[in-house]
Amino acid sequence: MQSSYTALHYTMGNKIFIGNWKSNKKISDIGPYFQVLTSELAPLPDTTRVIVCPPYSLLADVKKYARSPIYLGAQDVSAFPEGAYTGENSAALLAEFAEYVIIGHSERRNMLGETDEHLFEKVRRAREANLNVIYCIQNELDEIPDDVQFIAFEPPAAIGTGNPESPERISAVFEEVHMKNESPALLYGGSVNEQSISQFFDIQHLSGFLIGGASLDAFGFSKLITSWQD
Ligand code: PGA
């Protein structure tokens, strides 16, 4: 089933917040987390989307809380179809839970050696299963496959370091990426937190953020989301 979200990508004024939990949290954390998040976020305009990306093992539990404005994403997808691929999670399997998937995160490119070729195959599999793709790039030179719905600029030196990229550099990268790929929504990720977030709000073409560490605390994450509502 095609996500009903596709048409929104081309609308100005969307505010997308992707919470990438990476390899964190347990089943027992989920209820309390969403109790806080849902009460702190209500009500939000429907141009704001919060896409929570838990580890695979928590997708089914988080799905119980995935109703607007909260949506569910996976952190990665297999480049292979369903079948004899031990340890892999196919796009069709993920699509039973999630509407979104992150592909090409620098932690996977750098630590697990994922190549452009491999990532393009993942995008193809994800799109066959109608998952919306959040495609991460490290700079303006990275190749971007067709048919991705979000492009997240995630400079490795800014990820998890407390040193976000400068708004000027983000603007320059967005400008270049936007010239070549007009449709996908552009996101920034890397040390976005309560201290850093407001400096990014005026960046042209910015549709939202990919947030790692600061998405783990539901109060803190909801503060980031509501800080961009005025
Ligand atoms: P960070 O991570 O917010 O902890 O810097 C961002 C990311 O890896 O997407």
Side-chain angles (χ1 to χ4, degrees), residues 2 76-82 85 89-92 95 101-104 115-135 144-149:
Q2 179 69 51
D76 185 41
V77 62
S78 177
F80 299 101
E82 283 173 284
Y85 303 100
N89 287 287
S90 71
V101 62
I102 299 171
I103 295 178
T115 61
D116 282 351
E117 198 186 1
H118 198 59
L119 297 175
F120 277 46
E121 193 58 14
K122 290 184 176 209
V123 170
R124 190 172 75 79
R125 297 284 178 201
R127 295 302 295 146
E128 273 172 8
N130 288 321
L131 288 165
N132 291 298
V133 174
I134 302 150
Y135 195 76
I144 297 170
D146 292 336
D147 198 21
V148 299
Q149 286 61 55

Side-chain angles (χ1 to χ4, degrees), residues 18-20 22 102 105-107 136 152-156 158-164 188-193 209-216:
I18 298 172
N20 179 9
K22 307 190 181 182
I102 299 171
H105 193 282
S106 63
E107 285 157 11
C136 299
F153 171 43
E154 295 234 319
I159 295 177
T161 59
N163 296 313
Y188 168 69
S191 296
V192 175
N193 56 34
F209 299 99
L210 204 165
I211 301 170
S215 72
L216 294 175

Side-chain angles (χ1 to χ4, degrees), residues 110-186:
N110 300 344
M111 292 190 231
L112 300 164
E114 294 197 345
T115 61
D116 282 351
E117 198 186 1
H118 198 59
L119 297 175
F120 277 46
E121 193 58 14
K122 290 184 176 209
V123 170
R124 190 172 75 79
R125 297 284 178 201
R127 295 302 295 146
E128 273 172 8
N130 288 321
L131 288 165
N132 291 298
V133 174
I134 302 150
Y135 195 76
C136 299
I137 58 167
Q138 302 185 10
N139 57 53
E140 62 275 57
L141 303 175
D142 274 336
E143 273 198 67
I144 297 170
D146 292 336
D147 198 21
V148 299
Q149 286 61 55
F150 301 86
I151 297 170
F153 171 43
E154 295 234 319
I159 295 177
T161 59
N163 296 313
E165 188 52 271
S166 69
E168 294 72 27
R169 168 77 181 138
I170 298 168
S171 296
V173 171
F174 277 11
E175 211 43 68
E176 190 128 336
V177 170
H178 180 73
M179 273 189 321
K180 290 185 259 173
N181 310 268
E182 231 173 83
S183 305
L186 301 184

